[in-house]
């Protein structure tokens, strides 16, 4: 009887802090869920990037591009998917974006972060790729199956044979990294047009250069 009485006295003492901890945990989970639901309804900021003019970011729907500067947030550009897969030029004053019209047609463009002006690089088409930049101001983008490289105002077109959404220029402007239809990483020499496959692993669609252009 003494053992049972001892247990009967100890159980309430043990259960009190356990119940209190459980209540705190439930309250914390509820608060977190409320916050998550609010984020779902109101949206949230993502992909912050430091630029020459301030911090630039988009929202969870990638439908707007914001500038955060001097404690203020301003909208630089609005459009379907405009904030997805953006790129920056060498001095981080211009951003490569994609324009999408109401019918779903696409056009590559450059957003000037200092003025907010947008330069459309080609007419709308069924598919276009993101803009990429070299250090000397050369830029490139894909238009359906073609790769377009603009150097000193002159266009050079390469037939890729398939649609490429992300084709990245090396900083020296001599090569471009992209992927095959299956996602095999490729480097093209822009002087000769020759392609080199880097791996037999597929599903690698986003290929980025190291700053020294020696690695992808």
């Amino acid at each position: 009887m003494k053992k049972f009485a001892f247990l009967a006295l100890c159980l309430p003492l043990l259960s009190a802090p356990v119940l209190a901890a459980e209540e705190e945990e439930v309250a914390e989970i509820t608060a977190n869920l409320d916050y998550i639901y609010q984020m779902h309804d109101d949206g949230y900021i993502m992909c912050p990037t430091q630029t020459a003019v301030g911090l630039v970011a988009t929202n969870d729907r990638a439908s707007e591009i914001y500038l955060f500067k001097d404690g203020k947030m301003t909208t630089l550009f609005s459009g379907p998917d405009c904030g997805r897969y953006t790129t920056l030029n060498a001095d981080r004053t211009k951003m490569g974006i994609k324009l999408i019209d109401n019918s779903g047609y696409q056009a590559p463009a450059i957003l000037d972060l200092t003025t907010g002006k947008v330069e459309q690089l080609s007419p709308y088409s069924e598919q276009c790729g993101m803009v990429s930049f070299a250090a000397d101001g050369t830029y490139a983008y894909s238009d359906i199956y073609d790769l377009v490289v603009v150097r000193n105002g002159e266009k050079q077109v390469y037939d890729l044979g398939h649609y490429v959404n992300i084709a990245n220029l090396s900083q020296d402007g001599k090569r471009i990294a992209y992927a095959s239809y299956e996602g095999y990483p490729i480097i093209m020499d822009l002087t000769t047009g020759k392609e080199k496959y880097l791996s037999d692993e597929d599903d690698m669609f986003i290929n980025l250069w190291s700053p020294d252009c020696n690695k992808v």
Side-chain angles (χ1 to χ4, degrees), residues 7 10 19 36 47 81 114 117 119 141 156 165 201:
L7 287 173
C10 287
L19 289 174
I36 290 170
C47 301
D81 238 23
T114 60
K117 293 182 179 180
E119 177 188 2
Y141 58 89
Q156 193 167 3
N165 184 39
E201 294 288 335

Side-chain angles (χ1 to χ4, degrees), residues 42-211:
D42 299 341
Y44 51 90
I45 300 300
M46 59 184 290
C47 301
T49 304
Q50 190 62 52
T51 73
V53 299
L55 193 69
V56 172
T58 186
N59 57 31
D60 57 307
R61 300 168 182 84
S63 61
E64 292 188 321
I65 297 174
Y66 307 111
L67 172 64
F68 295 87
K69 185 178 181 180
D70 300 328
K72 297 179 181 179
M73 184 185 84
T74 56
T75 300
L76 292 176
F77 187 77
S78 299
D81 238 23
C82 64
R84 200 177 306 279
Y85 303 128
T86 56
T87 55
L88 289 172
N89 69 341
D91 65 8
R92 308 181 81 80
T93 60
K94 295 182 179 180
M95 176 174 280
I97 63 173
K98 186 184 291 190
L99 308 178
I100 301 177
D101 66 12
N102 293 331
S103 61
Y105 276 58
Q106 308 170 1
I110 295 177
L111 170 64
D112 190 323
L113 299 176
T114 60
T115 63
K117 293 182 179 180
V118 175
E119 177 188 2
Q120 185 173 327
L121 302 178
S122 70
Y124 283 95
S125 63
E126 292 182 4
Q127 289 178 311
C128 77
M130 297 306 304
V131 183
S132 65
F133 301 92
D136 65 357
T138 300
Y139 60 87
Y141 58 89
S142 64
D143 186 2
I144 308 182
Y145 292 172
D146 289 335
L147 172 72
V148 181
V149 179
V150 182
R151 194 186 308 271
N152 297 322
E154 296 185 1
K155 290 184 179 181
Q156 193 167 3
V157 180
Y158 303 80
D159 182 8
L160 298 179
H162 65 285
Y163 169 65
V164 174
N165 184 39
I166 300 174
N168 278 307
L169 272 174
S170 58
Q171 282 297 293
D172 58 15
K174 296 179 180 179
R175 293 163 293 170
I176 196 154
Y178 58 101
S180 69
Y181 180 80
E182 300 83 6
Y184 298 111
I186 301 171
I187 288 178
M188 177 189 285
D189 186 315
L190 295 177
T191 303
T192 63
K194 291 184 178 180
E195 296 177 333
K196 178 182 178 181
Y197 280 69
L198 300 181
S199 173
D200 57 1
E201 294 288 335
D202 61 3
D203 201 28
M204 292 193 281
F205 291 97
I206 302 177
N207 297 283
L208 306 176
W209 290 94
S210 61

